[in-house]
Amino acid sequence: MKIVLLGAPGSGKGTQAFRISERYDLPHISTGDIFRDNIAAKTPVGIKIKEIIDGGDLAPDDLTIEIVKERLSRPDCKNGYLLDGFPRNLVQAEALEKFGAPTAVINIEIPLGKLERRLTGRRSCENCKGSFHIDFIKDADKCPVCGGKLFIRKDDNPESVKERFAVYSKQTQPLVEYYEKRNVLFSVNGDLPVDEVFGEIVEVLEKLK
Ligand code: AP5
Ligand code: MG
């Protein structure tokens, strides 16, 4: 299966991707994680995009498309992939049609008004990349899954979150219609507990297997 996870910042793409990837044995490819790793390692890509990402805007299309194209060409993607955070606009979607058109696009639906608190209370793991929320973890510094160090993303501040929501509404939301027209869009309710959202996703994917 070639799966794209679509959804606003904080809708639960990363959280669900961990579960989907494990259950269906698909490589989880998060462009956000790839960029953050580059920033942390101070690679040329990381240095170029740091300010853009921290502020909540999108990295350049040509660079992003090149990274994803190369990643999808690796052997672990020969039976499919799980893309989290790509494509994010029409240019990227058109590019993906050429090198790996998705068979299912899961759209995690939830009103933006419900997401700010999810983001400002999020803790991310440096090691396993898991996403957690301070309301649900005992130790705000230590990953409950792998024991890695938890950190607060630079773009999880109210100003950057506002910008990310604006970018999402303008550039990414139109992809819902784009994939609807291609008959590959499946929407699930993201405003439910994590396990229930996953249940809805599994129901969709089981029918497609
Ligand atoms: P990216 O890392 O993809 O960020 P995003 O799209 O803003 O989404 P998030 O990772 O913030 O949210 P999520 O949907 O994964 O939610 P999560 O599961 O963590 O991208 C970051 C940046 O990189 C972009 O802004 C851009 O600059 C750049 N970039 C990335 N891709 C790009 C591209 N293709 N082109 C150009 N630039 C690109 O959950 C969030 C919180 O909610 C957590 O605390 C979690 O515990 C909690 N939570 C999750 N599900 C539930 C639930 N069901 N109920 C209650 N709480 C929940
Ligand atoms: Mg994410």
Side-chain angles (χ1 to χ4, degrees):
M1 281 187 289
K2 294 175 182 169
I3 304 172
V4 162
L5 282 180
L6 206 58
S11 58
K13 300 182 296 296
T15 301
Q16 297 301 331
F18 269 84
R19 289 164 173 76
I20 300 167
S21 161
E22 197 177 36
R23 176 151 183 158
Y24 294 98
D25 195 22
L26 290 168
H28 171 200
I29 300 162
S30 156
T31 38
D33 284 340
I34 293 172
F35 286 140
R36 281 183 291 278
D37 284 346
N38 273 276
I39 291 171
K42 295 193 169 67
T43 65
V45 166
I47 291 164
K48 185 174 173 186
I49 58 168
K50 182 180 173 4
E51 297 296 315
I52 302 175
I53 297 217
D54 289 355
D57 210 344
L58 294 186
D61 284 334
D62 50 356
L63 172 73
T64 309
I65 290 166
E66 212 35 63
I67 287 173
V68 174
K69 192 175 174 186
E70 187 281 322
R71 182 64 189 84
L72 294 191
S73 72
R74 294 193 205 163
D76 64 336
C77 294
K78 76 173 189 312
N79 293 324
Y81 62 68
L82 175 61
L83 276 172
D84 160 7
F86 183 96
R88 264 182 141 90
N89 59 26
L90 289 167
V91 173
Q92 295 181 8
E94 288 291 345
L96 184 62
E97 288 297 305
K98 295 193 189 105
F99 60 77
T103 46
V105 176
I106 307 285
N107 177 35
I108 307 179
E109 288 185 312
I110 176 166
L112 291 183
K114 298 203 171 181
L115 296 176
E116 184 162 358
R117 193 168 151 65
R118 281 198 189 178
L119 293 170
T120 51
R122 171 168 55 190
R123 294 294 181 277
S124 305
C125 178
E126 267 181 8
N127 179 47
C128 75
K129 317 291 183 204
S131 275
F132 308 96
H133 196 279
I134 44 171
D135 287 350
F136 300 110
I137 50 176
K138 284 199 195 103
D139 186 339
D141 299 312
K142 193 172 162 192
C143 176
V145 174
C146 75
K149 192 173 168 347
L150 295 181
F151 70 99
I152 300 174
R153 273 171 47 175
K154 284 263 167 51
D155 60 349
D156 276 349
N157 63 81
E159 231 171 76
S160 302
V161 166
K162 201 172 155 202
E163 178 63 17
R164 286 158 64 199
F165 286 166
V167 168
Y168 169 77
S169 300
K170 192 164 175 227
Q171 302 199 44
T172 312
Q173 176 85 36
L175 294 184
V176 171
E177 200 187 324
Y178 177 89
Y179 285 121
E180 221 162 27
K181 282 188 181 148
R182 279 167 175 71
N183 291 320
V184 288
L185 189 87
F186 301 90
S187 291
V188 297
N189 181 5
D191 194 11
L192 294 172
V194 171
D195 289 342
E196 290 181 33
V197 180
F198 184 56
E200 284 201 15
I201 294 174
V202 168
E203 212 174 293
V204 168
L205 296 180
E206 285 300 311
K207 284 185 197 143
L208 296 174
K209 261 202 318 187

